[in-house]
Amino acid sequence: MQKTRQPWSSDQYSAGINPEWQMVLANLLSPQKFPLELQDIVNKVSTGQRLSIEDGLILYNHPSLTDVARIANAARQARFSNDVFFNHNVHVNQTNLCILSCKFCAFSRTKKSADAYALSIDDYLQQISLYAPFVDEVHTVGGLHPDWGIEQYEGMFSAVKKMFPNIHIKALTAVEVNHLSVISGLGVSETLIRLRDAGLDSLPGGGAEILDDSIRDIICRGKETTAEYLEIHRCAHEIGMPTNCTMLYGTIETIEQRLNHLDLLRRQQDESGGFQCFVPYPFLPDSSRLPEAQLATGTEILRTMAISRLMLDNIPHLKAYRMNLGDEISELALQFGADDLDGTVQQESIMHLAGSTTPLDSDMSQLAKIIYNAGKIPILRNSKYTNFTEYIATDPKTKPLKGKGVSLRVI
Ligand code: SF4
């Protein structure tokens, strides 16, 4: 009989991190066991010093991906041991109508499009009700509807809370918050406070793309600026609302611009402290969108995951976003610094229209299998990373095969 831990809890800022993680990390990493050109970086990581952008460049250019993974895996191992977190959620995209046309986006439609949609509040509730018995979070992002003001979202969120009071609402990217504040004639803080009072619990962090206005002007002209993205998240943190942050890479940015993006996020975190999880994901190409995109290969995805873990020394969690990466790369990412998988998800449109083939019907057993096969322990969490329960698989097919689950372990 497998022995399980008792459920445990945390505050939303430490989000389940081992309070002794720095000491553990110092014991896990020994600079002498790494090639000479990485020893300074290993020394910094093990003694709690922040990596510079130049350090990030060394990690991007280092020939051994395994060495980079060893450092990142130690950084995650010190914080969370072998635990990998997931939750029960459903994605409901409220509308695909959008006034913008970002070059990488396969989701947005105009009013003239035959497949444009905008869910009524009843339709929105109906979609959630299909999954409500199985989920504790609804994740809602969508287009910038040309006519919907804040009242529409207040109506949606308050209706969810009335019907499903235990469901956490994680909704609206920074650009949606910005759009609502403009269309409703409100400041950003006032907009967030009204949405919070209607039931909004957290922001998912999408829309950061690359935080460099010269890149944004090409790939997502009209979206919020770098400063606006950070300011919107700062305002959310100031009212106690946790947020995630993201990076869309593999379009036209340079490695330096990616590293600068990470630096901006950690500086914002130093000031406002409310980022809980970073979610890096590569651009998924098709023939019609952004043909000039450089695209990210498998090893680049894993290297970016590892470097994210090391550069973002003050953001607790790092997510392998299955809807974008797929289950196989996500499983590998758990050896490269990631400690979180997106949840049971149930339904999702944005990445699937962009070409994702990740199954949407994943139940807990399937998620647990991915985690076990990476040599880790599945932990069910709530949305704010304050309550945790070890998940014990009962289906024998879920258990790791003998010999699997350890071969790729890097420390
Ligand atoms: S990425 Fe968002 S803002 Fe940009 S076109 Fe698509 S839905 Fe609209």
Side-chain angles (χ1 to χ4, degrees):
M1 185 79 146
Q2 190 171 343
K3 202 166 167 214
T4 57
R5 286 173 278 174
Q6 290 297 311
W8 69 100
S9 57
S10 166
D11 66 79
Q12 75 180 49
Y13 295 101
S14 48
I17 288 185
N18 174 5
E20 312 283 326
W21 71 270
Q22 195 66 66
M23 205 171 66
V24 177
L25 187 53
N27 288 328
L28 281 175
L29 283 176
S30 166
Q32 299 74 25
K33 292 187 178 162
F34 286 82
L36 197 59
E37 59 272 26
L38 289 183
Q39 288 185 4
D40 183 44
I41 289 174
V42 175
N43 183 51
K44 280 186 178 176
V45 172
S46 68
T47 55
Q49 297 174 63
R50 180 161 283 184
L51 297 187
S52 65
I53 288 179
E54 291 71 33
D55 293 328
L57 279 171
I58 291 172
L59 290 168
Y60 259 113
N61 291 319
H62 187 69
S64 168
L65 181 60
T66 312
D67 282 336
V68 177
R70 284 169 63 207
I71 313 171
N73 197 36
R76 68 135 278 153
Q77 202 77 8
R79 289 166 171 88
F80 303 112
S81 186
N82 276 320
D83 293 346
V84 170
F85 304 92
F86 71 102
N87 71 340
H88 297 294
N89 62 359
V90 58
H91 287 225
V92 180
N93 305 117
Q94 74 278 21
T95 180
N96 61 358
L97 277 172
C98 190
I99 58 170
L100 296 184
S101 47
C102 302
K103 281 194 176 171
F104 52 79
C105 181
F107 175 73
S108 73
R109 298 289 185 275
T110 66
K111 280 185 174 173
K112 290 185 183 150
S113 310
D115 55 351
Y117 74 87
L119 299 180
S120 66
I121 292 176
D122 283 346
D123 288 342
Y124 181 65
L125 290 175
Q126 164 69 14
Q127 290 213 15
I128 296 171
S129 70
L130 296 173
Y131 304 97
F134 318 108
V135 303
D136 53 22
E137 174 188 292
V138 59
H139 180 132
T140 289
V141 296
L144 310 183
H145 193 289
D147 309 317
W148 284 356
I150 194 166
E151 294 79 9
Q152 174 72 19
Y153 287 88
E154 287 175 317
M156 280 168 55
F157 298 154
S158 57
V160 171
K161 287 295 183 188
K162 195 167 168 200
M163 198 175 244
F164 312 107
N166 297 324
I167 287 189
H168 177 106
I169 303 175
K170 175 181 282 183
L172 302 179
T173 59
V175 72
E176 291 176 272
V177 173
N178 197 46
H179 175 65
L180 277 183
S181 81
V182 170
I183 209 167
S184 306
L186 301 167
V188 168
S189 288
E190 196 182 346
T191 302
L192 285 168
I193 287 168
R194 279 182 57 172
L195 293 169
R196 180 197 64 188
D197 292 347
L200 179 64
D201 293 297
S202 63
L203 302 184
E209 324 313 1
I210 288 291
L211 293 173
D212 182 303
D213 289 338
S214 67
I215 297 293
R216 301 177 80 73
D217 197 42
I218 297 169
I219 67 172
C220 55
R221 181 170 293 176
K223 247 185 179 169
E224 81 281 29
T225 62
T226 297
E228 286 169 337
Y229 179 90
L230 296 170
E231 172 67 8
I232 289 161
H233 283 268
R234 186 182 65 76
C235 289
H237 299 171
E238 278 178 358
I239 62 168
M241 183 183 283
T243 74
N244 289 345
C245 48
T246 60
M247 176 170 75
L248 171 76
Y249 61 95
T251 62
I252 57 168
E253 80 287 350
T254 62
I255 296 297
E256 285 86 348
Q257 284 165 326
R258 283 184 206 171
L259 291 165
N260 199 46
H261 177 110
L262 299 176
D263 187 50
L264 286 166
L265 291 175
R266 66 188 182 181
R267 286 167 189 255
Q268 183 59 55
Q269 180 76 338
D270 285 340
E271 285 177 29
S272 54
F275 288 131
Q276 291 196 303
C277 185
F278 176 64
V279 193
Y281 44 84
F283 171 61
L284 295 176
D286 66 15
S287 54
S288 58
R289 294 171 295 119
L290 213 56
E292 65 272 43
Q294 56 195 303
L295 309 181
T297 62
T299 55
E300 192 180 352
I301 290 168
L302 294 171
R303 190 183 289 265
T304 300
M305 191 66 76
I307 292 170
S308 299
R309 166 59 77 195
L310 295 171
M311 295 292 288
L312 297 175
D313 51 3
N314 57 356
I315 297 181
H317 294 278
L318 177 62
K319 180 174 288 191
Y321 188 38
R322 296 171 45 242
M323 288 304 100
N324 177 282
L325 302 183
D327 285 347
E328 291 81 3
I329 295 271
S330 296
E331 185 177 320
L332 285 170
L334 300 180
Q335 308 283 347
F336 286 76
D339 66 277
D340 195 281
L341 284 178
D342 205 34
T344 47
V345 177
Q346 315 290 346
Q347 61 168 2
E348 194 275 346
S349 301
I350 294 174
M351 293 298 174
H352 283 76
L353 282 169
S356 169
T357 54
T358 304
L360 288 170
D361 57 353
S362 299
D363 59 9
M364 287 200 289
S365 296
Q366 171 61 15
L367 272 174
K369 191 173 179 66
I370 294 170
I371 295 167
Y372 282 135
N373 282 344
K376 310 289 185 195
I377 301 166
I379 305 292
L380 260 173
R381 63 167 174 84
N382 65 345
S383 297
K384 288 190 175 177
Y385 295 91
T386 53
N387 292 316
F388 307 96
T389 309
E390 184 174 344
Y391 174 75
I392 300 296
T394 48
D395 180 349
K397 290 197 296 255
T398 302
K399 302 260 171 70
L401 298 175
K402 223 174 167 60
K404 273 177 104 178
V406 290
S407 58
L408 281 168
R409 295 186 70 175
V410 288
I411 65 167

